[in-house]
Amino acid sequence: MKVPSLIILLLLLVSAAGCAASAPVADLPATPAGSYPVPPEYISEATITLVQPAALVSSPYTDRGFSAATTASISWWLSPDFYENTNLYRRYLRSTEAEQLAYPGEQQIFFGFITEHLDLAITESDTDEEIILFRGISPGFAETVLSNAAYDEAAFASTSYDLTIPLITYGSSGDDGYSNILLLSRSPGDHLLYINEGEREILLPRDLTWQVVMVTEIGDLSIESDFPLFSNGEMHESVQHVRLITIVERES
């Protein structure tokens, strides 16, 4: 299993920044070594530099020439009642076939329609550059991921190239004080769907399996970018107590 070079470089920069720090910013303890298959490394200070994927941003889905049905399916994903709709839809995709049959017939038909066209849109979309993406996860889900060092994702995963969106705008910390962020890389030729610039959202294919390769607990994280960050409209942000869980796609 190969860890993409961009992730290695990014995390080496994170580690180098941490080595220069003399003390943690707070009294949050690091997770005891050996508690998880991939033991966390604690770093008191680090800096991450974000780069906007220019080629993706210049190609919104409405300009891609998708069919009306495919465009409508993507638009549904962005509807005002987004969270209620997509949470139910994700639960459906993560259900067994028998569980899906228990849903109302009309809902099964609709969800089947959405799945078909999101699959088509993602299959017809890829990246021509290597990019880093982030996804915020709940404390409970983070515990599952860390305990197993892997997980299967049957649903479409919503990610962002702007770390401040899952970390600050929608993020929350657990009882241990840490906010949990999945960090992953997509390489040229990998399928993904750029949704829009509103939340810098990029949708990944469903039915992917991920492996945890590194866990980094950062006391004080500085975020630098070459674009205005969603959280404050500036090109710098600082956040405390972040757990970066680096994952790579595992081949079936």
Side-chain angles (χ1 to χ4, degrees):
M1 179 168 48
K2 180 181 178 182
V3 182
S5 58
L6 186 56
I7 286 187
I8 292 177
L9 175 60
L10 183 147
L11 289 175
L12 284 175
L13 291 174
V14 168
S15 297
C19 290
S22 58
V25 297
D27 293 331
L28 281 181
T31 303
S35 296
Y36 299 120
V38 180
E41 175 188 3
Y42 181 78
I43 297 174
S44 59
E45 295 181 355
T47 297
I48 284 183
T49 300
L50 307 181
V51 178
Q52 186 180 56
L56 289 181
V57 171
S58 64
S59 301
Y61 77 92
T62 50
D63 295 343
R64 293 285 310 283
F66 290 136
S67 69
T70 299
T71 301
S73 297
I74 301 170
S75 297
W76 171 82
W77 186 272
L78 296 169
S79 62
D81 46 0
F82 167 83
Y83 290 105
E84 181 178 348
N85 280 341
T86 58
N87 283 338
L88 176 61
Y89 176 51
R90 285 187 174 113
R91 286 197 298 272
Y92 175 83
L93 290 178
R94 291 166 180 157
S95 301
T96 65
E97 183 176 349
E99 291 170 337
Q100 290 179 354
L101 290 174
Y103 282 71
E106 294 82 0
Q107 204 162 50
Q108 294 180 50
I109 293 172
F110 178 72
F111 284 163
F113 173 86
I114 294 295
T115 301
E116 175 186 354
H117 287 282
L118 289 182
D119 279 342
L120 284 171
I122 293 177
T123 299
E124 295 177 8
S125 308
D126 55 37
T127 178
D128 60 2
E129 57 188 313
E130 190 166 6
I131 59 176
I132 293 291
L133 296 173
F134 305 94
R135 179 184 176 193
I137 56 175
S138 68
F141 185 39
E143 180 63 28
T144 298
V145 172
L146 293 168
S147 295
N148 293 282
Y151 74 98
D152 300 322
E153 180 53 272
F156 300 100
S158 179
T159 66
S160 179
Y161 67 83
D162 184 342
L163 174 56
T164 68
I165 291 177
L167 180 57
I168 298 175
T169 305
Y170 296 112
S172 61
S173 59
D175 293 340
D176 61 3
Y178 283 98
S179 297
N180 296 279
I181 299 291
L182 299 178
L183 183 156
L184 60 117
S185 173
R186 296 282 83 188
S187 300
D190 286 344
H191 292 299
L192 50 77
L193 177 64
Y194 171 70
I195 298 293
N196 71 357
E197 195 59 11
E199 295 183 1
R200 290 81 189 268
E201 184 177 7
I202 293 173
L203 207 61
L204 300 185
R206 60 196 178 98
D207 292 328
L208 296 182
T209 298
W210 299 96
Q211 182 78 39
V212 175
V213 294
M214 188 177 297
V215 181
T216 311
E217 295 176 344
I218 305 170
D220 194 347
L221 177 65
S222 293
I223 303 169
E224 307 286 348
S225 70
D226 67 353
F227 57 90
L229 295 167
F230 188 88
S231 61
N232 59 11
E234 301 179 2
M235 302 172 95
H236 173 81
E237 182 66 272
S238 181
V239 189
Q240 291 187 346
H241 309 138
V242 179
R243 181 180 291 113
L244 289 179
I245 304 171
T246 303
I247 57 176
V248 295
E249 185 178 347
R250 189 170 62 189
E251 297 181 2
S252 57

